Amino acid sequence: MIAAGRKPFVLVADDDRDTRELYRACFDTSGYRTAEAMTGSQAIVTAVEIVPDVLLTDYVLPDVDGVTIARRLKSDARTAAIRILMVTGYADAALQQRAAAAGIERVLLKPCLPEAVMREVSRVVSRRALTRVPQAIDPAAAEPIAARVRAEFGELPGLSLTLEQARLVFDLDRDTCGAVLHGLVTEGYLARTSAGAFQRPN
């Protein structure tokens, strides 16, 4: 059971109705809020609408696979902070690498009992890195930081940093770093890579 207070939101994406209902029942009885998606495109649209804390997705879906879903969500500032777990029956090292590059935190192999899924979701939620769009910061305070970030990317062509890497490199808290990086994306100085990292556009 999760602690009282804000209830984390989990989006379950699976084309099998019984699987969705099984996972959703487990989450509901454990104190989470849940939503469902039957296809990959529906998962993307729903994620943008509700911005869940965690997305639990199957790999094989009728239209868009789980890795593609992750890549699209991580490249969108509105959904980049969603923690993503993927369930699959493919024990393939190449798929594991593609999943990690797309921003998926953990690949769970089928058959995967609900208890194992719940443990992973709980682990993700307990890290307190819950989903939120980076909060705006005062422009006067942001500009010196943005100038430092511009200089770093300008001096190192080809530099690509994830939000976590940038946070460590520039010694910033997550919200400030996210706000600055996404601001530089908005102004066109930076772009998001297919894996969701930040890089100077070609």
Side-chain angles (χ1 to χ4, degrees), residues 14-55:
D14 199 297
D15 59 342
D16 182 76
R17 178 179 179 180
D18 290 341
T19 299
R20 292 197 313 273
E21 291 184 350
L22 174 62
Y23 287 149
R24 184 164 191 171
C26 291
F27 289 126
D28 288 346
T29 57
S30 298
Y32 294 86
R33 295 175 294 160
T34 56
E36 297 179 14
M38 296 179 289
T39 66
S41 57
Q42 185 182 14
I44 293 169
V45 170
T46 304
V48 171
E49 289 177 348
I50 68 174
V51 191
D53 296 301
V54 181
L55 167 64

Side-chain angles (χ1 to χ4, degrees), residues 47-192:
V48 171
E49 289 177 348
I50 68 174
V51 191
D53 296 301
V54 181
L55 167 64
L56 174 67
T57 181
D58 196 1
Y59 171 53
V60 178
L61 290 166
D63 50 0
V64 181
D65 66 60
V67 173
T68 302
I69 292 171
R71 189 179 298 119
R72 292 186 184 178
L73 294 180
K74 291 297 183 180
S75 66
D76 187 328
R78 298 169 296 177
T79 54
I82 296 174
R83 300 289 173 154
I84 304 175
L85 304 174
M86 188 173 75
V87 180
T88 180
Y90 296 94
D92 185 286
L95 176 58
Q96 296 270 354
Q97 293 173 353
R98 288 177 54 223
I104 294 172
E105 296 204 13
R106 183 73 181 272
V107 176
L108 306 173
L109 295 178
K110 295 180 179 179
C112 189
L113 296 175
E115 292 81 1
V117 172
M118 294 295 297
R119 282 197 300 271
E120 286 302 316
V121 171
S122 178
R123 178 187 64 81
V124 168
V125 170
S126 70
R127 292 169 61 180
R128 309 304 295 176
L130 300 180
T131 305
R132 57 187 181 275
V133 175
Q135 300 297 309
I137 59 176
D138 181 79
E143 183 49 40
I145 300 172
R148 182 158 56 100
V149 174
R150 286 192 199 95
E152 188 76 18
F153 277 93
E155 292 175 4
L156 297 171
L159 177 66
S160 177
L161 295 175
T162 65
L163 176 58
E164 285 301 312
Q165 289 170 336
R167 184 180 68 79
L168 294 172
V169 168
F170 300 114
D171 192 25
L172 299 169
D173 65 82
R174 186 181 179 87
D175 281 344
T176 299
C177 188
V180 169
L181 290 176
H182 288 296
L184 293 175
V185 169
T186 300
E187 73 179 46
Y189 187 81
L190 294 179
R192 301 299 298 274

